[in-house]
Amino acid sequence: MKTVVSGIRPTGKLHLGNYFGAVKSFLQMQETHNAFFFIADIHSLTTHPTPADLHSNVHQVLAEYLAMGLDPEKCTLFVQSDVPQISELYTYMNMNAYLGELERSASFKEKVKTQRNNVNAGLLTYPVLMAVDILIHKADVVPVGKDQEQHLEMTRDFAKRFNHMYGVQCFNEPEAYSRTGKLVKVPGLTNNGKMSKSGGEGDAIFFDDEEKVTHKKIMRAVTDSGPETMNQEKPEAIQNLFDIMSLVSSTDTVDHFDALYNKCEIRYGDFKKQLSEDVLKFISPIRERIQDIKEDKSYLQQVTQAGAEKAKSSAEATLKEVREIIGFRRFY
Ligand code: ADP
Ligand code: TRP
């Protein structure tokens, strides 16, 4: 059976982009793979959260994973910091990661621009930690959105380098995975590229927002004055709304509005109202479950404890092998 590993940093509530870019694949893969899904809380230290925020964000994402349908009976669901083996392997793998390649990572370059006052070493070696998350369970596939593609390439480089350096076949070379064959990019509501929690006010549709907040966001999404010629290409802002609609609405609904657009008869107010209705129909049951699960502390304790045990045992098996390969041999 193939192994899958993936995680999300706990930096707030999850949005539709996280769901369709990553979590939806997790749900499918827990049925067919040896699956490890985790909350990347060590990764989120790069932005220096307060201890209270860190904990409440882990709590939030954990409840959201479960509410979305991750099943601890079918997958190993764990919190990254519960598995100290990850930090140990990270130390070793850092010795074979080079400044030049780390500086060239698109996400690092981006952070240098956006968080100028906090360009810490953890940001630079973020791809190493991510590679360790994956390699420590010898994953074959990693379901992620398009933005993580380069990190997967780096993971393969680190794996190959380690194997080559010691003349072993210890690590796999994992591939980024997408359900549809193509890595997904869910657009945001404000026409700034991908939906993101850092995409600014009104950009992301969060599962755990109140219905009226979500409705308002959608109704306020940027449109234009409408098509002027039949069958004209849709400008980006309009195409983005259609893309979101195609994730949550029926094909008939999408086709209906597409036909109206092509005939220059679309009324954006109606279009967005329908989009809001379908988004809420999709999100609301999950949102209710988030609230319930968040309050069930003993369930969360049980899930994370069992997940930690399973993840530690898988990680320890790899680490034992790695220590031996590197040459850490005990005298006692
Ligand atoms: P954000 O950009 O909101 O900070 P993260 O970087 O924490 O989201 O992403 C967590 C996971 O969700 C990653 O696998 C990422 O690729 C995926 N993801 C996030 N936003 C999108 C999006 N708009 N489209 C597709 N996948 C996404
Ligand atoms: N870097 C990923 C993100 O920003 C989160 C992540 C950390 C991850 N470790 C991982 C994803 C391992 C997949 C596998 O979203």
Side-chain angles (χ1 to χ4, degrees):
M1 195 190 275
K2 292 212 164 169
T3 297
V4 55
V5 172
S6 194
I8 296 184
R9 280 172 302 135
T11 48
K13 298 178 281 192
L14 298 186
H15 52 71
L16 278 187
N18 299 133
Y19 183 87
F20 287 101
V23 181
K24 191 166 179 198
S25 302
F26 301 179
L27 298 179
Q28 289 169 343
M29 296 174 101
Q30 67 179 350
E31 306 292 337
T32 49
H33 285 66
N34 177 28
F36 294 87
F37 300 121
F38 67 98
I39 299 171
D41 59 344
I42 305 179
H43 281 275
S44 67
L45 297 183
T46 55
T47 56
H48 299 174
T50 65
D53 283 349
L54 179 63
H55 182 71
S56 82
N57 284 338
V58 173
H59 185 186
Q60 178 73 23
V61 175
L62 179 62
E64 298 200 52
Y65 270 168
L66 291 162
M68 289 173 182
L70 283 193
D71 181 349
E73 303 286 321
K74 294 179 179 164
C75 66
T76 300
L77 179 55
F78 67 99
V79 181
Q80 187 185 32
S81 63
D82 280 342
V83 182
Q85 287 83 357
I86 293 172
S87 299
E88 184 179 335
L89 186 58
Y90 172 55
T91 306
Y92 306 155
M93 295 302 272
N94 267 328
M95 310 302 173
N96 304 332
Y98 295 98
L99 185 60
E101 64 188 339
L102 296 172
E103 279 176 335
R104 280 194 298 277
S105 138
S107 63
F108 180 68
K109 287 199 266 189
E110 169 73 22
K111 294 291 180 198
V112 169
K113 270 196 241 149
T114 54
Q115 55 180 75
R116 249 175 220 287
N117 305 327
N118 181 19
V119 183
N120 57 69
L123 275 179
L124 184 71
T125 58
Y126 185 106
V128 183
L129 181 56
M130 177 158 165
V132 167
D133 291 327
I134 298 167
L135 299 175
I136 206 159
H137 300 296
K138 304 201 175 193
D140 300 288
V141 280
V142 184
V144 279
K146 177 111 186 102
D147 57 316
Q148 298 296 316
E149 210 167 16
Q150 193 185 26
H151 288 150
L152 262 294
E153 271 169 39
M154 296 176 82
T155 300
R156 287 191 290 275
D157 288 343
F158 298 143
K160 272 189 283 203
R161 190 175 299 154
F162 183 93
N163 289 347
H164 183 253
M165 185 166 171
Y166 294 105
V168 292
Q169 261 311 319
C170 177
F171 294 126
N172 289 354
E173 289 177 36
E175 297 283 344
Y177 168 89
S178 158
R179 289 167 290 125
T180 52
K182 233 177 93 201
L183 296 185
V184 179
K185 188 182 100 178
V186 179
L189 289 173
T190 53
N191 195 18
N192 285 323
K194 72 159 200 155
M195 181 178 288
S196 172
K197 56 192 150 251
S198 50
E201 186 62 23
D203 187 61
I205 300 174
F206 294 103
F207 283 80
D208 203 13
D209 270 350
E210 276 184 44
E211 296 198 350
K212 59 174 191 270
V213 172
T214 301
H215 178 72
K216 218 185 234 171
K217 264 187 202 171
I218 295 175
M219 296 312 287
R220 283 192 183 153
V222 186
T223 49
D224 57 17
S225 54
E228 282 163 5
T229 48
M230 304 279 270
N231 300 315
Q232 75 174 62
E233 203 184 313
K234 298 183 185 77
E236 198 181 350
I238 307 300
Q239 184 59 51
N240 287 350
L241 295 177
F242 270 93
D243 286 351
I244 298 173
M245 182 177 254
S246 67
L247 296 170
V248 294
S249 305
S250 69
T251 322
D252 283 352
T253 304
V254 181
D255 289 350
H256 169 73
F257 285 101
D258 195 46
L260 289 177
Y261 187 89
N262 287 334
K263 288 187 284 181
C264 304
E265 287 171 13
I266 192 161
R267 286 162 49 175
Y268 289 136
D270 296 344
F271 173 56
K272 290 199 273 190
K273 229 160 117 189
Q274 181 72 50
L275 179 60
S276 165
E277 197 179 309
D278 292 345
V279 162
L280 290 174
K281 216 184 281 166
F282 176 72
I283 282 183
S284 297
I286 296 179
R287 176 163 182 262
E288 278 166 31
R289 285 200 294 274
I290 296 172
Q291 304 300 336
D292 292 344
I293 294 170
K294 254 174 109 170
E295 281 165 29
D296 195 347
K297 299 268 169 65
S298 79
Y299 177 59
L300 297 179
Q301 183 201 330
Q302 186 198 321
V303 166
T304 46
Q305 203 169 353
E309 290 313 317
K310 283 199 272 175
K312 277 194 280 194
S313 121
S314 160
E316 184 58 29
T318 305
L319 201 51
K320 217 167 151 205
E321 204 183 322
V322 168
R323 291 190 201 109
E324 181 68 23
I325 291 169
I326 290 179
F328 292 136
R329 295 181 194 140
R330 303 275 173 261
F331 289 97
Y332 56 88

